[in-house]
Each structure stands twice: as structure tokens, then as C-alpha cells.
Amino acid sequence: MSRLKYVSNNTADSLRESVSGNAARYREGSFEDMMSDGEWSIELPVEVDLTPLEDLDPAGTSAAEVSNSKLVWKALSVLSPSLACEEGIWVRLTHLNCLDYARQRWLNTTMDDDALAKGVLDHFFADTLTKRRDDNAISRLWWNAYIASTAAPGDDLPALGLILSKADIRSNFIERSQTVSRPVLAAGIIRIMTRIPDVAAKEGNYRAFMRSVNRLGGGLVFEAMTDNDIDLFLDSCALSSGISIAKAA
Amino acid sequence: MKLDADARFPHPVLSPDTTDYLQGVFRTTFDVSEKPDTSEVRLDYQIELDEPTLRELIASDHAALGISVTCRETYYSRVLPLGLAGGQVNFEPGTLMGRVTVQPMIWTRKVIASFPLGNCHEEFHGTPLSFSAGTVLALDDEFAISVGREKLAQMETIFSIALFEELPAGSFSLNLDADRITVLVASDIYETVNTLRGLGHGKPITLNTVFLPAVMQVLDVLREGGEAYDGRRWYRVFQEKCTHLNIDPADCDLWEAAQKLLQAPFLEIHKNKELLGK
């Protein structure tokens, strides 16, 4: 275990402004030699073991996404959500500890300099909510795991496989933050995806279902409802979006 | 989807924006304390509720009073019960960051088979109303707080000055497509602006003649929505400062809001003895 470190805002800004100049480092080099020049190793009062990050799989498959999210959670579940908003943590990880993974997952050797710069800006930095949640090579995995843990608590992140089973589901689950950040509702959505596979199985079904949840659920205090009441409400959302609930267990 | 006053309800809701009730007030008052370094946030609150039907429903545990708290940055969204007598809510360190909205409300905890409509507008008198658990009965105005260090950043840290030779003589412009708000300066006055910024009695002049109108211009741009600048550091800091100072860029007096953001900049002239020849 050791203290988690992050880079300063100035160092992150300087890296962002020097992406083209550092193209060779992103393609095949490293940033180790730059660590003495800037503020690369500011310590946080948080003890972590980053060893699991050595096993990140750059395959880009749904299975790899699930196992990678679990690895990041194993290493960094101790982070609070507000700390996870700090760009410097993710910039340090993508440029040092997880550089090989980030490079293999999000860059490739055939990219021209412009494509490389875009890939780096998207996946090696985390200066907005969208980049933290969807783009940064490591923080997106942390947010996958965090959101799955709020929907269905447990060390093995039981909701993760469902949420990441399709890109469409991830985007409609995780990007609808106003819905899934309400744990009782997120848990209900995970239950209906399990009870009625059609909600998530067919292209477009899930998107239509979530639109119904938003349309019909405005003004309801789900936190005062029983799980059964929430399930009945979500069944009605499935029906109103054209999904048969006959297969309900 | 979040609970808010924009939702339309087919039943009476006691709120500052509706006349569904013939009389009665639901008013909440909050004092916010924060330790920015640890993101520890505390709300001290007081409740005013003089509508007898709702008071009775709360007393009999058929309804509850509380706040819906939403923080987009940290995926925090909870409904927290409050007591009629007032009290305190403490948020665990690390749960909130950036803009946090708080919606005070009253909701049903249990099924209410026949809601007492005696104090409601006559348009509701025709049909008896029954409510399931989780129905909103009252709302007070939503408010927002800013959690974290961004709001404390000096305004100067999100501005920079740059020479722009294409500008007409003696003029300024703004570039918002950078991490800092860049004040572009025509070449004939660029040196003068920089000289003034370096002088004790020059800073109040640039603050009032360059930065005050620049802040007004930024507010004017944000009036139309500033989502295009979401990735810019200045935007985040600027928004947090606005939230902290209770400024709504979509609906504010530009001059008044800019003076607030720059902490009454004319005072820097007013208290500068050199400028006043004292």
C-alpha cells in the first residue's frame, strides 16, 4: 500500500498543451523522465494498492470492460466520488502507471499525428464530467464500477455485467445521471433488466424504456416507495414503451 | 429525471408558485457551512409549515418532509428526511462536489385513501383524491450551493491578456475558446494595458475598464447557455462562483452581477490614494 499521488493542475494543463510535442512519448515512449520537472507526485491522504492495474486488458471487448472495471475498483474503491472528480489523479495514472494499457486500448500505431492528438486528449485527460465518465482510459472504468456499486452493492459488483453488456445500455444507464444516481430507482432498473430480458436484449428497447422512466417518473418520490411499487411502476414504463412484460418471472 | 418545481401535478401541491391551497405556507430556511478542503458540508435548517392538513399528515406519519439533494458531478441523489422542528444535515465528506441542488418538499409515506381537500382550491373539490406512497404534496423553492475549491479561485486566475493585431486601434475583444478567458488587446494599447497592470494605482483602472466589461460580456454569452465551454477551466470556475453568489447567468442584471463577481471593483479606485491625488 502507498499514498495515492496526483499531478497538479499546472502539470495537467502543461501536458494538455504539449500533446503534439509529446507524440513520440504517447506512441512508444514514457513520461518517467519528466517527473522531476513538474508537480507529478503530490500525495493524497489515501492509501492504495495499484497492483491490480497491472492486469488491465486492452482488448476492448465487453468482457474486458467488466474485468477492467473490477480491477480499477479493487485498486481504487477507497476514492470518494469528489476525489474521483480530480483530473490530476487520472492524468497521472494514464501517463505513468497505466500508460501501456491506455496506449494499447485507445491509440494505435497507424494513427496520424492529428488522430493521435485527438485520442490522447480524449482518453488521457479528464477535465470535464463527460471525459471523466466516458472517455479517460481509467476514470471511465472507476465510474462504471462506482455506478454499478450504487445500483447493486457488493464486492463483486453484480450489476456491472448488465450495465456494460452493450454500449447502448452503458450510455443510457450511466449518462442518465439524474435517474441512476437515485439508488432505489437504479436498483429497480437492474431488477427489471434481470426479470424481463427484453428490456435490455433488443436494440432500442432499453433507450425507449429509459425515456418512459423519465417521462412517467417525474415528480415521484421513489425513496418512499416499496421495491414492489417501484417494480410495478417500471413494468408500466416497459409496457408504455412497447415491451412485453409477459416473460416476467 | 429529478424532482423539481417544474414538474406538473394533477393534484394540489402547496408551493410558492401555485394557488392550489386557499391558505398556508411551506417555507424553508437553510444556512450552508462548508470546509472546502475536505468537502464537508452541513446544512442548518428551519421549517415553517402552517397548513393544518399537511401538518396532521406528517404528525400521523402519513407524510414526510425533507429535501431532494442532487449533485451531477458525484452522481449523488438522495431524498433526506427533515424534522418540523428544524435541525442539521451533515453530508459525508467526499459525497458532494461542484453545483448541488436542494429541493425542499413534502411527500406521502403511505397510501392516503381520501385526501382532505377542505383547504384546497375549489377546482379540486369534484372528485375525492387518493394518493399512493411517494406523491409530492408540497414544494418550496429549489436552491443551489457550490461545493469545493473552484468558487474560491481568484478571478484573475481565469483571465489572461493577449495581443491581437487585427483589432482596430484602441479596442478590446474576448476569446472564450481557451482554458482562460483571454482579453484580446489591440497592438497600440497592449503595452499600456500591461504597464497599468503592473502598477499599484493602475490595477484598479484595468479592473474597472477592462475586466468589469469583460465579465459582463461573459455573463451575456452565458445568458444564452454556455454548454459549448463545458471543457474550459474558466467556465467551471465562473459557474461555481455564480452559484456561490446566487447569480443566475440566464436571468441577471449584467452590471450588478459583474460587480458582485469582482467584489465591487470601483472600491479599488475609491480607496486608492494615489489615484485620488491624496
Side-chain angles (χ1 to χ4, degrees):
Chain A
M1 300 285 273
S2 60
R3 290 280 181 97
L4 182 64
K5 299 181 181 72
Y6 68 101
V7 305
S8 69
N9 284 341
N10 285 341
T11 302
D13 288 344
S14 161
L15 282 167
R16 199 176 353 260
E17 286 158 14
S18 316
V19 168
S20 298
N22 286 326
R25 294 176 188 272
Y26 287 109
R27 285 187 192 281
E28 55 188 354
S30 90
F31 292 83
E32 301 273 351
D33 59 309
M34 292 174 71
M35 288 180 65
S36 55
D37 294 337
E39 295 165 305
W40 278 76
S41 299
I42 307 167
E43 286 191 349
L44 284 164
V46 175
E47 293 283 332
V48 293
D49 174 9
L50 298 179
T51 317
L53 302 184
E54 293 168 8
D55 297 326
L56 290 172
D57 175 1
T61 61
S62 174
E65 192 83 342
V66 171
S67 67
N68 289 341
S69 299
K70 287 182 177 176
L71 289 167
V72 169
W73 194 242
K74 193 173 175 187
L76 294 168
S77 63
V78 68
L79 277 188
S80 67
S82 68
L83 265 184
C85 294
E86 294 293 339
E87 181 186 27
I89 294 171
W90 309 113
V91 168
R92 192 176 194 279
L93 287 170
T94 49
H95 286 77
L96 291 174
N97 313 63
C98 307
L99 176 61
D100 284 340
Y101 163 76
R103 175 191 288 141
Q104 289 172 46
R105 173 70 179 88
W106 295 106
L107 308 178
N108 68 58
T109 50
T110 62
M111 282 177 161
D112 63 22
D113 283 351
D114 286 346
L116 182 94
K118 185 179 182 316
V120 168
L121 287 170
D122 283 348
H123 300 294
F124 287 66
F125 295 91
D127 49 327
T128 65
L129 184 152
T130 309
K131 282 191 183 172
R132 285 195 296 277
R133 183 189 63 197
D134 301 333
D135 300 325
N136 178 280
I138 308 302
S139 67
R140 70 191 304 280
L141 302 169
W142 190 91
W143 283 100
N144 285 346
Y146 176 73
I147 291 164
S149 76
T150 60
D155 288 345
D156 58 344
L157 302 170
L160 194 58
L162 266 179
I163 296 170
L164 300 181
S165 57
K166 291 187 177 73
D168 187 45
I169 291 176
R170 184 198 188 270
S171 65
N172 268 280
F173 194 91
I174 289 179
E175 289 168 21
R176 289 187 188 270
S177 59
Q178 304 282 18
T179 304
V180 301
S181 59
R182 299 172 72 176
V184 291
L185 185 54
I189 293 170
I190 294 296
R191 284 198 300 276
I192 195 172
M193 288 165 76
T194 311
R195 285 188 293 117
I196 305 171
D198 271 4
V199 168
K202 290 185 182 168
E203 187 73 24
N205 275 10
Y206 186 74
R207 188 180 297 268
F209 167 73
M210 289 299 276
R211 274 201 301 266
S212 293
V213 173
N214 277 277
R215 194 179 71 249
L216 302 173
L220 287 180
V221 185
F222 292 100
E223 292 78 1
M225 296 162 67
T226 62
D227 283 357
N228 190 49
D229 286 341
I230 292 173
D231 289 347
L232 288 172
F233 164 76
L234 293 174
D235 284 356
S236 70
C237 293
L239 277 173
S240 82
S241 46
I243 299 166
S244 166
I245 62 169
K247 293 176 186 173
Chain B
M1 173 192 57
K2 71 185 178 85
L3 288 156
D4 60 37
D6 293 334
R8 293 286 170 261
F9 300 96
H11 59 267
V13 171
L14 177 64
S15 84
D17 302 323
T18 64
T19 53
D20 295 354
Y21 280 75
L22 300 177
Q23 56 186 5
V25 167
F26 171 46
R27 194 176 294 133
T28 54
T29 313
F30 291 86
D31 282 326
V32 184
S33 337
E34 184 201 354
K35 294 181 188 169
D37 286 342
T38 56
S39 305
E40 281 184 85
V41 179
R42 192 180 89 188
L43 299 179
D44 290 281
Y45 67 90
Q46 290 182 310
I47 306 288
E48 182 183 352
L49 175 66
D50 64 2
E51 203 291 314
T53 312
L54 296 177
R55 284 192 73 98
E56 278 173 31
L57 288 170
I58 291 171
S60 65
D61 214 23
H62 282 79
L65 179 158
I67 43 177
S68 171
V69 183
T70 305
C71 176
R72 194 167 161 255
E73 296 282 326
T74 60
Y75 269 75
Y76 181 91
S77 181
R78 302 284 188 279
V79 171
L80 308 173
L82 305 180
L84 263 178
Q88 186 178 97
V89 179
N90 289 288
F91 292 90
E92 200 178 320
T95 52
L96 303 175
M97 173 63 74
R99 181 181 166 82
V100 179
T101 58
V102 181
Q103 170 68 70
M105 60 184 184
I106 296 172
W107 66 91
T108 55
R109 291 194 69 238
K110 298 174 183 171
V111 171
I112 299 175
S114 180
F115 185 78
L117 291 165
N119 189 29
C120 295
H121 193 278
E122 61 184 21
E123 72 175 284
F124 297 106
H125 287 185
T127 318
L129 286 176
S130 66
F131 295 138
S132 54
T135 305
V136 172
L137 298 178
L139 294 167
D140 192 14
D141 289 333
E142 181 183 88
F143 64 96
I145 58 175
S146 169
V147 178
R149 288 164 292 176
E150 298 283 35
K151 63 178 177 288
L152 304 174
Q154 294 292 312
M155 200 55 119
E156 293 84 340
T157 65
I158 57 168
F159 275 89
S160 64
I161 296 237
L163 172 68
F164 193 58
E165 294 189 339
E166 290 156 41
L167 279 174
S171 63
F172 297 91
S173 185
L174 272 189
N175 173 27
L176 301 180
D177 289 317
D179 278 327
R180 289 175 177 225
I181 298 163
T182 312
V183 177
L184 304 172
V185 188
S187 54
D188 62 325
I189 55 171
Y190 181 68
E191 202 177 319
T192 305
V193 171
N194 271 328
T195 303
L196 280 173
R197 289 178 76 204
L199 296 172
H201 66 282
K203 281 180 186 169
I205 297 175
T206 53
L207 184 64
N208 282 276
T209 58
V210 179
F211 291 104
L212 180 64
V215 169
M216 291 172 68
Q217 174 68 17
V218 173
L219 284 164
D220 192 42
V221 170
L222 297 188
R223 191 195 294 270
E224 304 300 323
E227 293 78 14
Y229 305 106
D230 193 26
R232 305 296 182 191
R233 177 173 147 69
W234 70 260
Y235 179 73
R236 210 162 54 236
V237 173
F238 203 92
Q239 289 285 45
E240 294 303 333
K241 281 185 168 293
C242 285
T243 300
H244 183 56
L245 296 170
N246 203 21
I247 295 168
D248 178 2
D251 180 24
C252 70
D253 180 300
L254 298 183
W255 194 6
E256 203 176 289
Q259 290 180 78
K260 224 171 169 182
L261 284 161
L262 291 173
Q263 299 172 311
F266 193 81
L267 286 178
E268 297 302 315
I269 289 177
H270 174 71
K271 66 189 181 192
N272 192 298
K273 290 180 181 169
E274 205 175 347
L275 270 178
L276 298 175
K278 291 181 182 172

